[in-house]
Each structure stands twice: as C-alpha cells, then as structure tokens.
Amino acid sequence: MSAHVLFRNARLLDPASDLDARGDLIIEDGRIAALGPKLSGGDAEIIDCGGACLAPGLVDMRVELREPGAEHQESMISGGLAAVAGGVTTMVMLPNTEPAIDDIALVEFVARRSRDVGLARIRTYAAATKGLRGRELTEMGMLAAAGALAFTDAGTAIADAVVMRRALSYARTFDLLLMQHPEEPSLAAGGAMTEGEVATRLGLAGITPAAEIIMVERDLRLVEVTGGRLHIAHVSTEAAIDAIRHAKARGLPVTCDTAPHYFALNETAVGDYRTFAKVSPPLRSEWDRRAVVAGLKDATIDAIASDHAPHDQESKRLPFASAASGIIGLETLLPLTLELYHNGHLSLLQALRAVTQRPADILRLPAGRLAIDAAADLVLFDLERPWRVDVDTFRSKSKNAPYDGRPVQGRVLRTLVAGRSVFTGEG
C-alpha cells in the first residue's frame, strides 16, 4: 500500500470523540492526515469502504505470548498474525514467559522483536516481583524507563499483603500502574472451576467466588493506604464489580478489565469436562455473567481484554483438574465484544471504547483514537457480517478456544498499522 491513501465511503467510528458518521479518511506517511465528509485525496490510492466501519485498531491490554521460552505454543510472529486478523493493532504481553520479564534486557528484547516482526505493535508489562515469586520487588523505575507499561505477576496474585503494600508504594513514587490477578491463592488452591451446583454435579473441586472479592477488597484498602494506582484484571464476580464501583465513587485510583468469556459464557460451558472452558478466574454463574454485562454498561469495568492464553494439546487434553487454565482470544475479541452491541447491551461506541480508547488511556498509550496526526493504526470491519467461529482456521499456533462453531457477527476486512496494510480479509 502506498504512503498516501484515501479511505472513501466509510462509517467513521471514534469512541474518544463520540464520532459516528459517514465520511472519508486520508493517511499520509503512516499517520491520519484528514478525516471528514467528501475529502479530496489528490493522487492518493483510493479504497472504497462500501459503508464498512473504520475504527481505531484494537488495543488488547492482556495477552500471553510464549516467546521467549515456549514458542511452540505461541511465538511473536504467530501471535502477531492472530492479532492483526482480529483487528488488534497494539497488544500488551504479560511477563510470564520463560524466563519471566523482570529485567531491562528482556523488556528491550520484546521491543526489538516487535519491530522485527512488523505486525501488531507489541508492548510488555514487567514482573512486579522477581521471578513472579511474590517476594522481592523488581526495579520498577528502571524497567519503566526501559519501556515496561505497568507491573504485574500475571496470572498469580501477589498474596503477601506487605509485599503488595510495598509494591503500590514503590509504584506510586514513579507514578506507575500495578495490575493484580484477583484471586486469594489459598482459597483457590486445588480448585478446578467455580464453586456451585455445576461443580458438585461434575464432581470437581470448586473455587469459591469469595476468593475474588477477598483479594479485591484487600487491595482496595491498600490503595487507600498508599495512594498507588491499581488495575484489577479480568473481574468476573458481581461482588468484586460492586466493590470496584464503590471504590471509584470514593475517588480511588482504580481501574479494571474483564475478558469476553466472562460475559459470553457461564459455568455451564464446562459441560462434560471441556478443558477448553477452563480459565482463571473460572467461568462463573449466570448471575455473575449478567453482573459483568452491567459493569460494562455503567463503565465500572473500564476495558475488555482478550486474555489470550495459548496452550498446546498436551496441556489441555488432560483430566479437567490437571489441565492448564486459559483460552485463546485474539481473533475473537472483536466479534465477541460486538455481541454486546448486537444484543442491545451497549452502544457501538461504548463497545468499541472498551477495546480502544480506554485500555490506551489506562496504559497511557498514544493509541485507540481517530484523530489528525495520530498513527494510522486502524481496523476496517463489516459490522453485520455473520460467520461461525472455526478455530482450525485461526492463525494462533494453539487452538484452545471453547467458541468453535459459535455464530457471531462482525468481520475484520482490513487491519493497518502505521498506515501499512498488515491483514486483508474477505472482501
């Protein structure tokens, strides 16, 4: 694609400015040069969008990539291909690689590999504690200076309250963000799915939903004590969402996200021991699922992240209690988020805001907007096009998703990063 492109006859969608209008958009040298009705592109290459939606590329703030250490499950190349096929132009990877991303050299490695791969932009979190062991804090200031966006021990909660208090205090000194997995580990130990009737019927050890609210309440108290900024990942229970709602009303510096499986599925998806539906936190009751939708509706939940967690067959085709937790989600993030619009729960701009502007704002990234001089990281998609999820066609190396065969609406037609077309789907 040339450096000068005119997208004509698009439905321009920008959640940051509440723009939803027919119009054109011009890209010059990788940036948005103009947008509005009936633009003249001069000698620009013209792409007729045929009324399709043109929006900021998705910012996926919670992705597991297995490089370095387990590239057979997902590499930055395969993850990048999956991302752009799903309209994701920026993804932020968790530090639970092998070795864990807890020093400057590894943060710089991610930046270098992102440039070399040249697909979606890949940024990274750094570990909050060395080796993700929950004991000794990492050098957050230096890691942030090297490019780490925030600090987390990924899918492991910082269990020790003193360590968490120190982490929040240290992070506040540098105005950094701490992200926490909301699960009290001793209450979750040995559990396989959420506690309740379904777990009892299947004979599986349950994880009490109280494990989530106990950790969230503790950390909110520590935020009050320290003033540190806290982001709570993948909230899944009504109680936790209510606690965060009240904390925000009190003005605490707290944000949170959820993942599509917490509003698109409930505990019944486990069915007959389907390990592809085993996630952490576990899928919850229908009541909790509806509470997640309500939390998105009133913006208590700020963002939606894919929670992309690739696992190979050997990790998933095991007895349920022994199988790894996690599902892939880069290629289903957009259509599952659009279900909230198609089902009448959110407006189209509300749904898109949760996967563009809000995650970018939380992480202070210059992304997620259609604005003059912004990077031309864009997704063109057909809002109404129906299709069925076919995991076998996914670009991810791993296929662990419980959505196979699910009918969805909303198909990515083209993805651009810095004005370059990095994915072109069916016309």
Side-chain angles (χ1 to χ4, degrees), residues 14 36 48 61 70 79 161 183-184 200 233 252 261 296 313 347 356 375 385 421:
D14 180 40
D48 191 330
M61 67 182 298
E183 193 169 63
E184 206 293 316
T200 302
L252 292 183
H261 35 276
L296 287 163
Q313 300 278 2
S347 73
T356 57
R385 181 174 299 185
S421 185

Side-chain angles (χ1 to χ4, degrees), residues 95 100-102 126-140 143 151-154 156-160 163-164 167 178:
I101 298 171
D102 61 2
T129 66
K130 291 183 179 178
L132 308 176
R133 288 187 287 270
R135 293 194 291 272
E136 188 180 354
L137 298 184
T138 57
E139 298 287 350
M140 293 184 194
L143 288 162
F151 298 85
T152 178
D153 277 0
T156 305
I158 298 174
D160 188 309
V163 174
M164 187 63 177
L178 208 65

Side-chain angles (χ1 to χ4, degrees), residues 19 31 53 67 98 115 139 187 267 301 355 370 376 422:
L19 172 68
R31 308 196 80 78
C53 297
E67 184 178 348
E98 299 171 16
R115 290 191 297 271
E139 298 287 350
L187 284 173
E267 61 189 336
I301 300 174
V355 288
L370 290 190
V422 288

Side-chain angles (χ1 to χ4, degrees), residues 62 91 116 147 212 222 256 301 387:
R62 193 174 176 84
M91 54 179 165
D116 292 345
E212 181 163 300
L222 292 175
C256 66
I301 300 174
W387 57 286

Side-chain angles (χ1 to χ4, degrees), residues 26-372:
I26 295 175
I27 297 172
E28 287 183 6
D29 299 322
R31 308 196 80 78
I32 298 172
L35 67 160
K38 297 180 180 175
L39 300 178
S40 172
D43 61 350
E45 176 188 352
I46 296 175
I47 295 175
D48 191 330
C49 300
C53 297
L54 188 62
L58 276 54
V59 178
D60 190 348
M61 67 182 298
R62 193 174 176 84
V63 174
E64 292 185 24
L65 298 176
R66 304 300 187 202
E67 184 178 348
E71 290 86 347
H72 65 286
Q73 294 183 338
E74 196 81 285
S75 67
M76 292 196 195
I77 292 174
S78 63
L81 290 168
V84 297
V88 175
T89 53
T90 299
M91 54 179 165
V92 190
M93 62 180 277
L94 292 169
N96 57 341
T97 48
E98 299 171 16
I101 298 171
D102 61 2
D103 67 27
I104 290 170
L106 285 163
V107 174
E108 292 174 342
F109 165 79
V110 172
R112 190 166 59 250
R113 285 289 291 144
S114 176
R115 290 191 297 271
D116 292 345
V117 170
L119 292 164
R121 303 176 194 268
I122 305 172
R123 302 294 299 271
T124 191
Y125 300 108
T129 66
K130 291 183 179 178
L132 308 176
R133 288 187 287 270
R135 293 194 291 272
E136 188 180 354
L137 298 184
T138 57
E139 298 287 350
M140 293 184 194
M142 294 171 65
L143 288 162
L149 292 185
F151 298 85
T152 178
D153 277 0
T156 305
I158 298 174
D160 188 309
V162 173
V163 174
M164 187 63 177
R165 178 178 180 173
R166 285 178 186 149
L168 283 164
S169 297
Y170 184 12
R172 188 190 177 204
T173 304
F174 297 96
D175 190 26
L176 302 174
L177 179 67
L178 208 65
M179 179 189 285
Q180 174 75 304
H181 174 73
E183 193 169 63
E184 206 293 316
S186 63
L187 284 173
M193 66 174 296
T194 199
E195 192 174 83
E197 183 184 331
V198 177
T200 302
R201 193 174 71 245
L202 293 173
L204 292 172
I207 298 172
T208 173
E212 181 163 300
I213 183 60
I214 286 170
M215 185 58 79
V216 168
E217 288 277 21
R218 184 203 76 173
D219 287 348
L220 291 174
R221 297 294 180 187
L222 292 175
V223 168
E224 283 186 303
V225 171
T226 62
R229 287 197 296 135
L230 175 67
H231 181 85
I232 300 165
H234 44 215
V235 292
S236 66
T237 63
E238 181 183 35
I241 294 163
D242 279 345
I244 294 163
R245 187 177 284 119
H246 292 136
K248 286 185 167 192
R250 298 201 311 275
L252 292 183
V254 59
T255 52
C256 66
D257 68 72
T258 194
H261 35 276
Y262 299 118
F263 59 77
L265 302 171
N266 63 26
E267 61 189 336
T268 62
V270 170
D272 295 324
Y273 309 97
R274 293 179 66 218
T275 59
F276 281 7
K278 185 181 181 182
V279 287
S280 178
L283 297 177
R284 302 294 188 182
S285 68
E286 175 62 13
W287 190 261
D288 283 320
R289 187 197 70 79
R290 293 182 182 187
V292 170
V293 174
L296 287 163
K297 196 167 187 174
D298 70 6
T300 296
I301 300 174
D302 300 273
I304 299 169
S306 71
D307 237 352
H308 181 79
H311 292 291
D312 54 21
Q313 300 278 2
E314 289 71 25
S315 303
K316 278 291 191 180
R317 296 206 181 281
L318 293 169
F320 196 92
S322 305
S325 293
I327 65 175
I328 56 170
L330 283 165
E331 292 169 79
T332 50
L333 176 60
L334 180 61
L336 292 175
T337 297
L338 290 176
E339 283 187 5
L340 294 164
Y341 161 72
H342 289 300
N343 293 337
H345 298 303
L346 302 181
S347 73
L348 183 55
L349 288 179
Q350 280 178 311
L352 290 174
R353 186 174 290 118
V355 288
T356 57
Q357 177 204 346
R358 288 302 291 138
D361 286 354
I362 290 166
L363 298 174
R364 298 176 177 172
L365 284 168
R369 286 169 166 74
L370 290 190
I372 304 299

